[in-house]
Every structure is written in C-alpha cells, then in structure tokens.
C-alpha cells in the first residue's frame, strides 16, 4: 500500500535540511564577518552582487530579486548602505522610474577587505567536501536555482 500522507514526503526533510544549513551558515559566517570586518553578511552580499555586475550597478528591482528581498526591503537596505558610503543610487538614463544601486569606491574597498575573511570562513565550512563533491554540489545548487 502506498502512503500518500504529505507529512511523510522525504522532500520535507530535504527542504528542512537546506533551510537549517543555510540559516546556520548565515549566522556563523555572518557573525565572523561582522566581528572581523564590521560588515553585515547581507551588506557583503549586496556589495558582491554589485561588484560582479556590469558597471558595478543593478536596478533596485533586480537587486531585490537576487538577494531575495521585497523592493521595500532592498530600498531600506540600500538607504543604510548609502549612509555608510558603500553604495549610491544612480538614475537610469532610459527610464526615470528606474533607479540603480551602484557600488562606490568605499564599498569596493570594504568588500575587498571583507572578502578574505569570508572566504576563510567558507573554506572551513565547506572543508567537509572533497573538490569533486563540492563541484557536484555547486552544480546541483545551480540547477535548483534556475528551476525556481
């Protein structure tokens, strides 16, 4: 007899593991990053995304989508980062309704300072994987990312 009880579905456990590990990594890596670089992990992620984008900027809506925040949430985050001097708002030349968040020189310098700290923490966290396993894991995460 097949058990169709959704509470017994193994995907619930898989998703729970994903959320738990993500939360733990965010908390532990974020704490070290904040303590050693005085940069919250959310700010690091914004600066990294901006630094890797064309012209060092992203439309606010695109940034919100990439870091999984609402447009209001990303507006408040950019407000705080702008006050710190790490980002600036830039107008879109083609559409006055669109604003870009752009990384500043100070933001780029802070990102470079924090990146070494963060990479060190990531190496320790992912040291449980062989190089082959890490490549496979990254490939699987990329596949899941594009499917959602």
């Amino acid at each position: 007899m097949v058990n169709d009880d959704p509470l017994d579905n193994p995907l619930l456990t898989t998703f729970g593991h994903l959320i738990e590990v993500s939360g733990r990594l965010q908390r532990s890596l974020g704490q070290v990053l904040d303590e050693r670089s005085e940069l919250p992990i959310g700010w690091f992620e914004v600066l990294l995304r901006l630094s890797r984008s064309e012209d060092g900027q992203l439309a606010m809506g695109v940034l919100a989508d990439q870091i999984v925040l609402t447009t209001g949430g990303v507006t408040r985050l950019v407000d705080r980062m702008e006050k710190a001097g790490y980002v600036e708002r830039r107008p879109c030349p083609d559409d006055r309704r669109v604003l870009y968040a752009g990384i500043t020189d100070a933001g780029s310098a802070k990102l470079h300072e924090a990146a070494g700290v963060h990479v060190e923490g990531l190496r320790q966290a992912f040291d449980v994987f062989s190089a082959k396993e890490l490549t496979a894991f990254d490939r699987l995460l990329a596949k899941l990312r594009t499917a959602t």
Side-chain angles (χ1 to χ4, degrees):
M1 178 172 190
V2 176
N3 184 356
D4 289 331
D5 185 351
L7 292 176
D8 290 335
N9 191 305
L11 288 174
L12 289 174
T13 301
T14 300
F15 185 70
H17 288 161
L18 184 63
I19 296 299
E20 182 181 346
V21 169
S22 175
R24 285 182 182 184
L25 285 172
Q26 288 265 350
R27 186 174 51 245
S28 64
L29 293 172
Q31 182 179 357
V32 171
L33 188 63
D34 201 15
E35 287 172 358
R36 294 188 47 204
S37 300
E38 297 179 349
L39 189 69
I41 196 162
W43 290 29
F44 179 88
E45 187 64 29
V46 168
L47 293 175
L48 184 63
R49 302 255 177 181
L50 293 176
S51 75
R52 291 180 168 178
S53 63
E54 188 174 333
D55 298 326
Q57 64 184 19
L58 288 169
M60 295 285 282
V62 172
L63 180 60
D65 186 51
Q66 287 188 7
I67 62 171
V68 195
L69 279 180
T70 63
T71 54
V74 83
T75 296
R76 290 186 294 277
L77 179 60
V78 168
D79 283 344
R80 293 189 303 273
M81 294 180 73
E82 191 172 35
K83 285 180 186 167
Y86 298 147
V87 300
E88 62 186 4
R89 285 183 169 79
R90 299 173 184 163
C92 175
D94 303 325
D95 188 343
R96 292 185 309 160
R97 297 170 295 174
V98 176
L99 277 177
Y100 290 97
I103 192 167
T104 63
D105 290 341
S108 185
K110 190 64 168 178
L111 175 62
H112 280 87
E113 170 193 322
V117 170
H118 197 47
V119 167
E120 179 183 319
L122 289 168
R123 278 191 186 122
Q124 291 174 2
F126 287 94
D127 193 40
V128 297
F129 295 115
S130 69
K132 186 177 179 179
E133 288 172 326
L134 191 55
T135 299
F137 184 59
D138 195 44
R139 200 170 38 252
L140 291 169
L141 287 174
K143 186 175 183 178
L144 184 59
R145 182 177 174 234
T146 58
T148 58

